[in-house]
Amino acid sequence: MRLILLGVSLAIALAGPWFVPDELVRGAPFADSGLLGTDFVGRDVWHQVLLGGQAMVLTAVLATGGAYLLGTVWGLAAATTPRALDETLMRPLDVLMAVPSLLLLLVVATLAPDGALVWIVMLIHLPDIARLVRACALEIATRPAVEAMRLQGESRWRITTGFVAPSMARVLVTDAGTRLTGSLYLIAAVSFLGVGVPPDASDWAVMVDRNRGGLFLNPWAVLAPALLIVMLAVGLNLTMDRILKRAHHDRS
């Protein structure tokens, strides 16, 4: 079931634009023509579904991956430096965490130029990831294996990259599934509210918002993109849970 949920939604999101005709024909709003009828401006809903997921998925993946890359470096640097530098690195992130993520996203997305959504979502995830990495690194640094490596004369860089970072991989993978789902939620929320996207954009969240007025005329204009967003989020979480259970079983 998890593979069906994730596979179908990802296939439509990533490969969908390849199957859309170059010239799109418009008809009457909320008509019965086509596979899923038409939307609020007469466009074929199936074509809009095929076009509407790629940007959302790629933005979420790039934002989450970038946040982990930067947050891992930031957290490891804070955990392996003197106390004063640790405080200097972490205090700005504490200030950033005090701002509600959706509020920050809406304000910055309104002021930022087009294409900045990836960087905004990265900024939102950065404090949590950096704090998680720092906490894991500080705990791992107290283990006997790390002390033995220090006594053998291993450098701080080799200890960090050779033992500390790999030891926290399972924790970060566990967090990654939830974090990626959170990215999808943030991107869908800001698109649903119409911030930073055209009102007639080919986007699953925008489709839900713009077509809800015709829900009883053509429900598929709302249900199809909404179901795909839910399938993607649920399928992703179930898949990550299965990967973690299998890794735990293999380790045991």
Side-chain angles (χ1 to χ4, degrees):
M1 177 61 69
R2 70 185 186 282
L3 295 179
I4 294 176
L5 293 175
L6 184 61
V8 170
S9 56
L10 275 181
I12 293 176
L14 298 179
W18 296 347
F19 299 95
V20 177
D22 295 333
E23 295 184 4
L24 299 179
V25 179
R26 295 196 181 190
F30 300 120
D32 293 334
S33 60
L35 182 62
L36 299 177
T38 60
D39 65 2
F40 72 111
V41 291
R43 298 173 303 184
D44 187 283
V45 171
W46 175 240
H47 290 161
Q48 295 304 303
V49 166
L50 293 177
L51 291 170
Q54 188 177 79
M56 177 185 294
V57 172
L58 293 180
T59 301
V61 171
L62 289 175
T64 306
Y68 267 98
L69 180 61
L70 182 57
T72 300
V73 174
W74 197 306
L76 286 174
T80 57
T81 54
R83 178 74 175 180
L85 185 55
D86 180 13
E87 293 288 332
T88 302
L89 288 172
M90 299 306 297
R91 292 296 76 81
L93 299 183
D94 293 341
V95 175
L96 188 60
M97 288 185 64
V99 183
S101 59
L102 187 56
L103 175 61
L104 178 64
L105 180 63
L106 292 175
V107 171
V108 180
T110 303
L111 301 176
D114 295 339
L117 188 57
V118 172
W119 302 101
I120 301 170
V121 177
M122 280 180 57
L123 185 66
I124 290 172
H125 287 319
L126 176 61
D128 289 332
I129 294 174
R131 289 173 65 88
L132 176 64
V133 170
R134 176 180 176 273
C136 290
L138 289 175
E139 186 276 328
I140 295 170
T142 62
R143 295 180 183 177
V146 175
E147 184 63 28
M149 294 178 71
R150 291 197 186 100
L151 294 176
Q152 292 174 1
E154 299 286 356
S155 65
R156 180 178 297 178
W157 168 258
R158 184 171 178 81
I159 294 174
T160 301
T161 58
F163 183 79
V164 176
S167 297
M168 67 176 68
R170 291 187 64 203
V171 175
L172 297 184
V173 170
T174 303
D175 183 68
T178 303
R179 195 76 56 189
L180 184 55
T181 304
S183 296
L184 291 170
Y185 158 74
L186 290 172
I187 295 166
V190 74
S191 298
F192 179 82
L193 295 173
V195 179
V197 293
D200 60 346
S202 298
D203 181 278
W204 289 346
V206 174
M207 290 178 65
V208 174
D209 177 43
R210 297 298 184 264
N211 293 306
R212 56 182 175 169
L215 180 62
F216 296 103
L217 298 175
N218 182 17
W220 285 114
V222 175
L223 294 179
L227 286 173
L228 284 169
I229 294 174
V230 173
M231 288 172 60
L232 182 60
V234 174
L236 178 63
N237 278 329
L238 291 177
T239 301
M240 293 303 298
D241 287 343
R242 177 56 63 92
I243 292 174
L244 290 172
K245 289 179 180 178
R246 184 173 297 175
H248 178 71
H249 176 74
D250 293 342
R251 187 175 180 180
S252 300

